[in-house]
Amino acid sequence: MPTVSFVPACTDVAIRDMADMASEIWHEYWPIVLTDEQIDYMVDTMQSFESIKREIREEGYLYWFVLDETGARVGYLSVRPETEDGEQACDIQSGAGKLFVSKVYLRKEERGKHYASRMLDFCEDICRANGLPSMYLHVNKQNEMGIRAYKGRGWHVAEASVSDIGRGFVMDDYIMAKDVPLD
């Protein structure tokens, strides 16, 4: 398995770099499923500098760049701890609830190298270190590669979800979940 490291994105410079990476990845990956118009809209509203900064500063999200063994940025990861009632936790030391795995993205040339497995291992480590017995994520119903990868790591489809995200667009997702043994 590859060695990766995780570097928090906390400064405005890092957040801008992450938004640029997000735009690159989204515009490369999602045309197989989404229209260019929806990709642009989702990048502008959910992956932009302003939206990432808001999620970090106001909504309790944590973001990391994923670096390979040479220190090159190969992708990014975002999570948010939640309390048992689904509200955002004030900090990652919540001790109860679950972890929302918000973003697991890799550059095209880095896929298939098991970096995503290391990213999900990192999420499980966060859960264990903070007493969070489960985690969940949203995956587009047409993202067959992602669904296969998650199922292969013990995730299951918990429910289907269609969310109106504005401007006539929807996110047609599966909510996938995984229990995390805490001992």
Side-chain angles (χ1 to χ4, degrees), residues 99 101 120 123-124 135-137 149-157 176-178:
L99 187 70
V101 180
L120 295 173
C123 292
E124 288 187 35
M135 53 187 176
Y136 75 100
L137 54 79
Y150 294 127
K151 284 183 175 180
R153 294 200 38 90
W155 293 73
H156 68 277
V157 174
M176 297 186 74
K178 182 176 183 180

Side-chain angles (χ1 to χ4, degrees), residues 4 38-39 52 69-70 83 85 96 117-118 122 152 160 165 175 181:
V4 296
Q38 183 166 350
I39 295 166
I52 293 171
E69 51 280 341
T70 71
T83 62
D85 61 5
S117 293
R118 299 290 62 85
F122 183 70
I165 58 171
I175 298 173

Side-chain angles (χ1 to χ4, degrees), residues 1 32 35 48 60-61 88 99 109 111 114 117 122 146 159:
M1 284 294 180
I32 61 172
T35 65
S48 66
Y61 284 81
Q88 78 182 42
L99 187 70
E109 62 274 11
R111 295 182 201 127
H114 302 285
S117 293
F122 183 70
E159 64 184 273

Side-chain angles (χ1 to χ4, degrees), residues 1-71:
M1 284 294 180
T3 302
V4 296
S5 56
F6 298 88
V7 176
C10 302
T11 67
D12 282 357
V13 170
I15 294 168
R16 254 184 233 295
D17 288 349
M18 184 160 290
D20 289 344
M21 178 186 279
S23 180
E24 168 198 327
I25 292 170
W26 272 64
H27 284 94
E28 176 273 319
Y29 187 79
W30 287 111
I32 61 172
V33 175
L34 305 174
T35 65
D36 289 341
E37 185 180 30
Q38 183 166 350
I39 295 166
D40 289 343
Y41 176 73
M42 291 179 75
V43 166
D44 288 345
T45 59
M46 299 175 194
Q47 305 283 319
S48 66
F49 168 77
E50 294 81 12
S51 63
I52 293 171
K53 186 172 180 174
R54 181 187 67 254
E55 284 185 345
I56 292 170
R57 303 259 156 72
E58 298 173 18
E59 299 176 24
Y61 284 81
L62 304 165
Y63 277 81
W64 295 271
F65 284 107
V66 181
L67 282 58
D68 69 9
E69 51 280 341
T70 71

